[in-house]
Short mmCIF file of all heavy atoms in Angstrom, two decimals:
data_model
loop_
_atom_site.label_atom_id
_atom_site.label_comp_id
_atom_site.label_asym_id
_atom_site.label_seq_id
_atom_site.Cartn_x
_atom_site.Cartn_y
_atom_site.Cartn_z
N VAL A 472 43.28 7.21 -72.81
CA VAL A 472 42.96 8.65 -72.88
C VAL A 472 43.59 9.26 -74.12
O VAL A 472 42.94 10.01 -74.86
CB VAL A 472 43.45 9.38 -71.60
CG1 VAL A 472 43.39 10.89 -71.78
CG2 VAL A 472 42.63 8.95 -70.40
N ARG A 473 44.86 8.93 -74.39
CA ARG A 473 45.54 9.47 -75.56
C ARG A 473 44.80 9.09 -76.84
O ARG A 473 44.54 9.94 -77.71
CB ARG A 473 46.98 8.97 -75.62
CG ARG A 473 47.79 9.62 -76.77
CD ARG A 473 49.13 8.95 -76.97
NE ARG A 473 49.02 7.57 -77.43
CZ ARG A 473 48.74 7.20 -78.67
NH1 ARG A 473 48.48 8.10 -79.59
NH2 ARG A 473 48.69 5.93 -79.01
N LEU A 474 44.42 7.81 -76.95
CA LEU A 474 43.72 7.35 -78.15
C LEU A 474 42.35 8.02 -78.28
O LEU A 474 41.95 8.43 -79.38
CB LEU A 474 43.57 5.83 -78.12
CG LEU A 474 44.86 5.04 -78.37
CD1 LEU A 474 44.67 3.57 -78.03
CD2 LEU A 474 45.31 5.20 -79.81
N VAL A 475 41.62 8.13 -77.18
CA VAL A 475 40.28 8.74 -77.23
C VAL A 475 40.40 10.22 -77.61
O VAL A 475 39.62 10.72 -78.42
CB VAL A 475 39.54 8.56 -75.88
CG1 VAL A 475 38.32 9.45 -75.81
CG2 VAL A 475 39.17 7.10 -75.69
N LEU A 476 41.39 10.92 -77.04
CA LEU A 476 41.56 12.33 -77.40
C LEU A 476 41.93 12.48 -78.87
O LEU A 476 41.42 13.38 -79.56
CB LEU A 476 42.62 12.98 -76.50
CG LEU A 476 42.20 13.18 -75.05
CD1 LEU A 476 43.35 13.72 -74.22
CD2 LEU A 476 40.98 14.10 -74.94
N ASP A 477 42.81 11.60 -79.36
CA ASP A 477 43.14 11.63 -80.79
C ASP A 477 41.90 11.35 -81.64
O ASP A 477 41.71 11.96 -82.69
CB ASP A 477 44.24 10.61 -81.12
CG ASP A 477 45.62 11.07 -80.69
OD1 ASP A 477 45.79 12.27 -80.37
OD2 ASP A 477 46.54 10.23 -80.66
N LEU A 478 41.06 10.46 -81.17
CA LEU A 478 39.82 10.14 -81.86
C LEU A 478 38.87 11.35 -81.87
O LEU A 478 38.32 11.72 -82.90
CB LEU A 478 39.16 8.93 -81.20
CG LEU A 478 37.87 8.40 -81.80
CD1 LEU A 478 38.11 7.89 -83.22
CD2 LEU A 478 37.34 7.27 -80.94
N LEU A 479 38.71 11.97 -80.70
CA LEU A 479 37.80 13.12 -80.59
C LEU A 479 38.30 14.32 -81.38
O LEU A 479 37.50 15.11 -81.88
CB LEU A 479 37.60 13.49 -79.12
CG LEU A 479 36.84 12.46 -78.27
CD1 LEU A 479 36.85 12.86 -76.81
CD2 LEU A 479 35.42 12.30 -78.78
N CYS A 480 39.62 14.47 -81.47
CA CYS A 480 40.20 15.58 -82.25
C CYS A 480 40.33 15.24 -83.73
O CYS A 480 40.89 16.02 -84.50
CB CYS A 480 41.58 15.94 -81.69
SG CYS A 480 41.50 16.65 -80.04
N LYS A 481 39.83 14.06 -84.10
CA LYS A 481 39.82 13.59 -85.49
C LYS A 481 41.23 13.41 -86.07
O LYS A 481 41.44 13.52 -87.26
CB LYS A 481 38.98 14.51 -86.37
CG LYS A 481 37.55 14.62 -85.87
CD LYS A 481 36.63 15.11 -86.93
CE LYS A 481 35.24 15.35 -86.41
NZ LYS A 481 34.49 14.19 -86.05
N ARG A 482 42.21 13.12 -85.17
CA ARG A 482 43.55 12.78 -85.66
C ARG A 482 43.61 11.30 -86.04
O ARG A 482 44.50 10.88 -86.77
CB ARG A 482 44.60 13.09 -84.58
CG ARG A 482 44.80 14.59 -84.38
CD ARG A 482 45.97 14.86 -83.45
NE ARG A 482 45.63 14.57 -82.08
CZ ARG A 482 45.45 15.48 -81.13
NH1 ARG A 482 45.60 16.76 -81.42
NH2 ARG A 482 45.14 15.14 -79.90
N LEU A 483 42.67 10.51 -85.49
CA LEU A 483 42.57 9.08 -85.79
C LEU A 483 41.11 8.74 -86.05
O LEU A 483 40.21 9.35 -85.49
CB LEU A 483 43.05 8.23 -84.61
CG LEU A 483 44.52 8.23 -84.23
CD1 LEU A 483 44.73 7.41 -82.96
CD2 LEU A 483 45.35 7.64 -85.35
N THR A 484 40.91 7.71 -86.87
CA THR A 484 39.57 7.16 -87.02
C THR A 484 39.40 6.07 -85.95
O THR A 484 40.37 5.65 -85.32
CB THR A 484 39.38 6.52 -88.41
OG1 THR A 484 40.26 5.41 -88.52
CG2 THR A 484 39.63 7.53 -89.52
N LEU A 485 38.18 5.61 -85.80
CA LEU A 485 37.91 4.54 -84.84
C LEU A 485 38.73 3.30 -85.18
O LEU A 485 39.33 2.69 -84.30
CB LEU A 485 36.40 4.24 -84.85
CG LEU A 485 35.84 3.39 -83.74
CD1 LEU A 485 36.05 4.05 -82.38
CD2 LEU A 485 34.37 3.12 -83.97
N SER A 486 38.78 2.97 -86.44
CA SER A 486 39.54 1.79 -86.87
C SER A 486 41.04 1.96 -86.63
O SER A 486 41.71 1.02 -86.19
CB SER A 486 39.31 1.51 -88.35
OG SER A 486 37.95 1.20 -88.58
N GLN A 487 41.57 3.15 -86.89
CA GLN A 487 43.00 3.39 -86.66
C GLN A 487 43.34 3.30 -85.17
O GLN A 487 44.36 2.70 -84.80
CB GLN A 487 43.40 4.77 -87.20
CG GLN A 487 43.38 4.87 -88.71
CD GLN A 487 43.54 6.31 -89.17
OE1 GLN A 487 43.13 7.25 -88.50
NE2 GLN A 487 44.12 6.47 -90.37
N ALA A 488 42.51 3.88 -84.33
CA ALA A 488 42.74 3.83 -82.89
C ALA A 488 42.70 2.38 -82.40
O ALA A 488 43.54 1.96 -81.59
CB ALA A 488 41.71 4.68 -82.14
N ALA A 489 41.73 1.63 -82.89
CA ALA A 489 41.61 0.22 -82.50
C ALA A 489 42.83 -0.57 -82.96
O ALA A 489 43.37 -1.40 -82.21
CB ALA A 489 40.34 -0.37 -83.09
N GLN A 490 43.29 -0.30 -84.17
CA GLN A 490 44.45 -1.01 -84.69
C GLN A 490 45.70 -0.68 -83.86
O GLN A 490 46.48 -1.57 -83.53
CB GLN A 490 44.67 -0.64 -86.16
CG GLN A 490 45.75 -1.45 -86.82
CD GLN A 490 45.87 -1.12 -88.30
OE1 GLN A 490 45.36 -0.10 -88.76
NE2 GLN A 490 46.53 -1.99 -89.04
N GLN A 491 45.89 0.59 -83.51
CA GLN A 491 47.05 0.99 -82.70
C GLN A 491 47.04 0.30 -81.34
O GLN A 491 48.08 -0.09 -80.82
CB GLN A 491 47.08 2.51 -82.49
CG GLN A 491 47.63 3.26 -83.65
CD GLN A 491 47.81 4.74 -83.32
OE1 GLN A 491 47.84 5.14 -82.16
NE2 GLN A 491 47.91 5.55 -84.36
N ALA A 492 45.86 0.16 -80.75
CA ALA A 492 45.75 -0.44 -79.42
C ALA A 492 45.71 -1.96 -79.48
O ALA A 492 45.91 -2.62 -78.45
CB ALA A 492 44.49 0.08 -78.72
N GLY A 493 45.43 -2.50 -80.64
CA GLY A 493 45.33 -3.96 -80.77
C GLY A 493 44.02 -4.49 -80.19
O GLY A 493 43.96 -5.60 -79.66
N VAL A 494 42.97 -3.66 -80.29
CA VAL A 494 41.65 -4.05 -79.78
C VAL A 494 40.62 -3.84 -80.87
O VAL A 494 40.93 -3.31 -81.94
CB VAL A 494 41.27 -3.22 -78.51
CG1 VAL A 494 42.25 -3.48 -77.38
CG2 VAL A 494 41.19 -1.74 -78.83
N SER A 495 39.40 -4.20 -80.57
CA SER A 495 38.32 -4.03 -81.55
C SER A 495 37.85 -2.57 -81.58
O SER A 495 37.99 -1.85 -80.59
CB SER A 495 37.14 -4.93 -81.19
OG SER A 495 36.52 -4.44 -80.01
N PRO A 496 37.29 -2.15 -82.72
CA PRO A 496 36.73 -0.80 -82.77
C PRO A 496 35.64 -0.60 -81.71
O PRO A 496 35.49 0.51 -81.17
CB PRO A 496 36.14 -0.71 -84.19
CG PRO A 496 36.96 -1.67 -84.99
CD PRO A 496 37.28 -2.79 -84.03
N GLN A 497 34.90 -1.66 -81.37
CA GLN A 497 33.87 -1.56 -80.33
C GLN A 497 34.49 -1.20 -78.98
O GLN A 497 33.93 -0.42 -78.22
CB GLN A 497 33.07 -2.86 -80.22
CG GLN A 497 31.95 -2.81 -79.20
CD GLN A 497 30.93 -1.74 -79.50
OE1 GLN A 497 30.46 -1.62 -80.63
NE2 GLN A 497 30.59 -0.93 -78.51
N ALA A 498 35.66 -1.76 -78.69
CA ALA A 498 36.35 -1.45 -77.42
C ALA A 498 36.70 0.03 -77.37
O ALA A 498 36.49 0.70 -76.35
CB ALA A 498 37.60 -2.30 -77.25
N VAL A 499 37.21 0.57 -78.46
CA VAL A 499 37.57 2.00 -78.51
C VAL A 499 36.31 2.85 -78.40
O VAL A 499 36.32 3.89 -77.72
CB VAL A 499 38.37 2.32 -79.79
CG1 VAL A 499 38.68 3.81 -79.87
CG2 VAL A 499 39.67 1.52 -79.82
N ALA A 500 35.24 2.43 -79.04
CA ALA A 500 33.98 3.18 -78.93
C ALA A 500 33.50 3.18 -77.48
O ALA A 500 32.99 4.20 -77.00
CB ALA A 500 32.93 2.56 -79.85
N ASN A 501 33.67 2.06 -76.78
CA ASN A 501 33.31 2.02 -75.36
C ASN A 501 34.18 2.98 -74.54
O ASN A 501 33.68 3.66 -73.65
CB ASN A 501 33.46 0.60 -74.80
CG ASN A 501 32.40 -0.34 -75.32
OD1 ASN A 501 31.34 0.08 -75.77
ND2 ASN A 501 32.68 -1.63 -75.28
N TRP A 502 35.49 3.01 -74.83
CA TRP A 502 36.38 3.94 -74.13
C TRP A 502 35.93 5.38 -74.35
O TRP A 502 35.93 6.18 -73.43
CB TRP A 502 37.81 3.79 -74.60
CG TRP A 502 38.44 2.46 -74.38
CD1 TRP A 502 37.99 1.45 -73.56
CD2 TRP A 502 39.62 1.97 -74.99
NE1 TRP A 502 38.83 0.38 -73.63
CE2 TRP A 502 39.85 0.66 -74.50
CE3 TRP A 502 40.52 2.50 -75.91
CZ2 TRP A 502 40.94 -0.11 -74.90
CZ3 TRP A 502 41.60 1.73 -76.30
CH2 TRP A 502 41.80 0.45 -75.80
N ARG A 503 35.57 5.69 -75.61
CA ARG A 503 35.12 7.05 -75.93
C ARG A 503 33.88 7.40 -75.10
O ARG A 503 33.80 8.47 -74.50
CB ARG A 503 34.82 7.17 -77.43
CG ARG A 503 34.31 8.54 -77.83
CD ARG A 503 34.06 8.64 -79.31
NE ARG A 503 33.17 7.57 -79.78
CZ ARG A 503 33.00 7.23 -81.05
NH1 ARG A 503 33.64 7.87 -82.01
NH2 ARG A 503 32.18 6.26 -81.36
N ARG A 504 32.92 6.47 -75.07
CA ARG A 504 31.69 6.70 -74.29
C ARG A 504 32.03 6.88 -72.81
O ARG A 504 31.52 7.80 -72.16
CB ARG A 504 30.73 5.53 -74.48
CG ARG A 504 29.44 5.64 -73.69
CD ARG A 504 28.55 4.40 -73.85
NE ARG A 504 29.25 3.12 -73.77
CZ ARG A 504 29.68 2.56 -72.62
NH1 ARG A 504 29.48 3.17 -71.48
NH2 ARG A 504 30.29 1.40 -72.63
N GLN A 505 32.89 6.02 -72.27
CA GLN A 505 33.26 6.12 -70.85
C GLN A 505 33.98 7.44 -70.56
O GLN A 505 33.75 8.06 -69.52
CB GLN A 505 34.17 4.94 -70.47
CG GLN A 505 33.46 3.61 -70.47
CD GLN A 505 34.42 2.43 -70.44
OE1 GLN A 505 35.61 2.55 -70.70
NE2 GLN A 505 33.88 1.26 -70.13
N PHE A 506 34.83 7.86 -71.48
CA PHE A 506 35.57 9.11 -71.30
C PHE A 506 34.61 10.30 -71.32
O PHE A 506 34.71 11.20 -70.49
CB PHE A 506 36.64 9.26 -72.38
CG PHE A 506 37.46 10.51 -72.23
CD1 PHE A 506 38.51 10.56 -71.32
CD2 PHE A 506 37.19 11.63 -73.00
CE1 PHE A 506 39.28 11.71 -71.18
CE2 PHE A 506 37.95 12.78 -72.86
CZ PHE A 506 39.00 12.82 -71.95
N ILE A 507 33.70 10.30 -72.26
CA ILE A 507 32.73 11.40 -72.37
C ILE A 507 31.85 11.44 -71.13
O ILE A 507 31.52 12.51 -70.62
CB ILE A 507 31.90 11.28 -73.66
CG1 ILE A 507 32.81 11.58 -74.87
CG2 ILE A 507 30.69 12.19 -73.64
CD1 ILE A 507 32.19 11.28 -76.22
N THR A 508 31.48 10.28 -70.60
CA THR A 508 30.62 10.21 -69.42
C THR A 508 31.34 10.60 -68.13
O THR A 508 30.82 11.35 -67.32
CB THR A 508 30.03 8.79 -69.27
OG1 THR A 508 29.33 8.47 -70.45
CG2 THR A 508 29.11 8.69 -68.07
N ALA A 509 32.57 10.08 -67.94
CA ALA A 509 33.23 10.24 -66.65
C ALA A 509 34.65 10.80 -66.73
O ALA A 509 35.36 10.78 -65.74
CB ALA A 509 33.24 8.90 -65.92
N GLY A 510 35.08 11.26 -67.88
CA GLY A 510 36.42 11.81 -68.00
C GLY A 510 37.48 10.73 -67.81
O GLY A 510 37.25 9.55 -68.06
#
């Protein structure tokens, strides 16, 4: 949630969020989609 909110508020790019979490940018994009869909 923290990473997705930072992403949505443009404090992080997709690549930066993925790097911080140690996952792929696709994983973070999926989290963003899931968050937007279901909070």
Side-chain angles (χ1 to χ4, degrees):
V472 168
R473 185 190 66 77
L474 288 168
V475 167
L476 290 175
D477 284 347
L478 182 63
L479 292 173
C480 293
K481 302 200 185 290
R482 289 188 286 251
L483 291 175
T484 65
L485 193 61
S486 297
Q487 290 170 330
Q490 187 176 17
Q491 280 188 19
V494 298
S495 70
Q497 182 60 48
V499 177
N501 289 339
W502 298 345
R503 178 179 54 195
R504 179 184 44 77
Q505 292 165 344
F506 182 80
I507 290 171
T508 302

